C-alpha cells in the first residue's frame, strides 16, 4: 500500500501511545482472496478496529492486515442463537442483528466498537466474568489461516484444540482469523434493571460484590484519588419487557478536537469525582435503562480518547489475588493518589473462578482495577512501572490489551504458559507488543 493510503486511516491504538507506524497495510476484502502471507518479507499482524490501548494491535515497521472489509454476517440461527461472522465485523453490527431477535453477546467488553476477531484475540471479559468467564468460552469454531497457506478449522475439542487454546487470547499472533462462530445468550428485552449502591471503602466493595455474586452483571466505579476507595457499585440483569426493539441509543456527542494537555489534572478530576459520587442522593438507587448506556457508556461520545490530548493516555489494568487484594489495591490507589495522577475513569471489579480457555487469557480470580492515566511523559511511565511492580509482587497479572509498559520479566510472571504459547506463534506474525515483551533484558 502506498504511503498516501496509510494516511487515509489512522492505524494507531486507542490510547494513542506508543506511536508506531507500519511499513505497509493490506486491506482484506474477501476471505477467499487473501494475500500470500508467507511471501511477506516483514512481520504481519491483523488489525481490526484499533481498540487495544497500548501496542498489542501495532506492528511498527511491519505489515498490518486491515480486516475492516471482512465484516459480513455468515449465518445466524434465530432459534438456537448460534452466530457465524467474519472476523472484521464489529460487536455493534452483531448487536443490531441479535438484540431485535432476542439474543445478546455472551460476554462484552466496555465498548461495542471492537471487531469479533479482536474480541477473540484478546479473550475479552465483561461485567459478567464472575459467572460467565471470558468471550473465548463461547467460541465454538473459527478458521485460522497460517502463513504457510493452511486453512485450519479450530474447535475447542477438535484436531487442533491446542492451537484453538493458543488463538483464544493469542493477541493475533497464531495466524489470521477469517471467521468465527459463537453462542449468543437469550434476553427478554433490550432493557437492564440496575441497582447502584454507594460504598465508602474497599472492604465495603468486596462485601457488595460477594452479596451480588448471583447477579449477572456487576462492576464498580471507584474514586481513584480517594485512598479509602469510595465509589459506586452497580449490578444489573436483563429486565423483562417483551421483544426488544431495534437499537434506539445512538452516538450523540463527539470530541471535536484534542483537549489541551493539563486540562485533566488532579484538581479537575477530584472535583468531578466528588460531584459524581454525591450525585446519587441515596445509598441505594434503582432504575431501568437501555442496554447501551449500561454496557457502553463511553461509546456515546465519539473519539472520546481525544479528551486526553495529543499525547494520548495509558489505560492500566491489573488483577491481584483475593488473599491480599484489599491491601494491594489500597497500595495501588495510594501510589496513584501520591502521584496526583488524574483519572475519573476508574473501574473496580472481581473476577470469578471460571477458567479461561486461552493460554494467554488475562482474567483469573481476584480484584481487577482499570483506569486511564493521561500521558504526561516520564512521570506517567514511572507511575505505571510502580503500579506494575506492586501488582506483580503480589502475584498479580497485567493485561496486554491495555499495556504499553510491562517488562519481559513482568510478562513472564503474568503468563507462565507463555513458552507453550510461543510454540504456536506463526513465524510470519508479530507485533510491537510481542517483540517488546519477548526481548532480552539487559
Amino acid at each position: 500500500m502506498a504511503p498516501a493510503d496509510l494516511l487515509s486511516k489512522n492505524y494507531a491504538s486507542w490510547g494513542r501511545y506508543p506511536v508506531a507506524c507500519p511499513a505497509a497495510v493490506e486491506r482484506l476484502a474477501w476471505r477467499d482472496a487473501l494475500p500470500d502471507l508467507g511471501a511477506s518479507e516483514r512481520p504481519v499482524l491483523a488489525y481490526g478496529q484499533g481498540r487495544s490501548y497500548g501496542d498489542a494491535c501495532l506492528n511498527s515497521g511491519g505489515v498490518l492486515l486491515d480486516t475492516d472489509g471482512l465484516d459480513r454476517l455468515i449465518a445466524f440461527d434465530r432459534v438456537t442463537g448460534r452466530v457465524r461472522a467474519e472476523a472484521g465485523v464489529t460487536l455493534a453490527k452483531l448487536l443490531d442483528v441479535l438484540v431485535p431477535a432476542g439474543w445478546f453477546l455472551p460476554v462484552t467488553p466496555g465498548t461495542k466498537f471492537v471487531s469479533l476477531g479482536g474480541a477473540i484475540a484478546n479473550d475479552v471479559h465483561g461485567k459478567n466474568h464472575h459467572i460467565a468467564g471470558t468471550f473465548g468460552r463461547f467460541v465454538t469454531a473459527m478458521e485460522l489461516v497460517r502463513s504457510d497457506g493452511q486453512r485450519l478449522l479450530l474447535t475447542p475439542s477438535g484436531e487442533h484444540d491446542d492451537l484453538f487454546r493458543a488463538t483464544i487470547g493469542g493477541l493475533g499472533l497464531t495466524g489470521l482469523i477469517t471467521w468465527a462462530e459463537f453462542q449468543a445468550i437469550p434476553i427478554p428485552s433490550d432493557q437492564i434493571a440496575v441497582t447502584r449502591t454507594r460504598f465508602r471503602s474497599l472492604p465495603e466493595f468486596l462485601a457488595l460484590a460477594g452479596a451480588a455474586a448471583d447477579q449477572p452483571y456487576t462492576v464498580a466505579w471507584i474514586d481513584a484519588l480517594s485512598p479509602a476507595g469510595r465509589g459506586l457499585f452497580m449490578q444489573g440483569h436483563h429486565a423483562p419487557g417483551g421483544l426488544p426493539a431495534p437499537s434506539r441509543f445512538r452516538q450523540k456527542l463527539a470530541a471535536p478536537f484534542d483537549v489541551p494537555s493539563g486540562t485533566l489534572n488532579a484538581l479537575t478530576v477530584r472535583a468531578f469525582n466528588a460531584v459524581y459520587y454525591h450525585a446519587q442522593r441515596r445509598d441505594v438507587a434503582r432504575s431501568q435503562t437501555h442496554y447501551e448506556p449500561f454496557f457502553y457508556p463511553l461509546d456515546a461520545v465519539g473519539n472520546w480518547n481525544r479528551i486526553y490530548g495529543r499525547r494520548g493516555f495509558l489505560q492500566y489494568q491489573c488483577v491481584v489475588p483475593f488473599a491480599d487484594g484489599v491491601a494491594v489495591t489500597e497500595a495501588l490507589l495510594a501510589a496513584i493518589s501520591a502521584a496526583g495522577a488524574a483519572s475519573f475513569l476508574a473501574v473496580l471489579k472481581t473476577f470469578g473462578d471460571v477458567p479461561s480457555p486461552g493460554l494467554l487469557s488475562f482474567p483469573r480470580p481476584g480484584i481487577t482495577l482499570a483506569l486511564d492515566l493521561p500521558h504526561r511523559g516520564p512521570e506517567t511511565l514511572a507511575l505505571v512501572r510502580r503500579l506494575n511492580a506492586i501488582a506483580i509482587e503480589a502475584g498479580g497479572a497485567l493485561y496486554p490489551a491495555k499495556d504499553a509498559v510491562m517488562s519481559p520479566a513482568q510478562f513472564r510472571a503474568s503468563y507462565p504458559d507463555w513458552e507453550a504459547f510461543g510454540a504456536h506463534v506463526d513465524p510470519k506474525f508479530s507485533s510491537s507488543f510481542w517483540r517488546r515483551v519477548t526481548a532480552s533484558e539487559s
Side-chain angles (χ1 to χ4, degrees), residues 241-261:
L243 283 175
S247 178
R248 299 188 300 270
F249 185 83
R250 294 300 178 194
Q251 202 167 77
K252 297 175 181 176
L253 302 171
F257 53 81
D258 294 317
V259 174
S261 298

Side-chain angles (χ1 to χ4, degrees), residues 225-240:
L225 295 179
S226 165
R230 69 178 180 181
L232 297 169
F233 182 84
M234 285 158 275
Q235 61 189 73
H237 62 270
H238 295 282

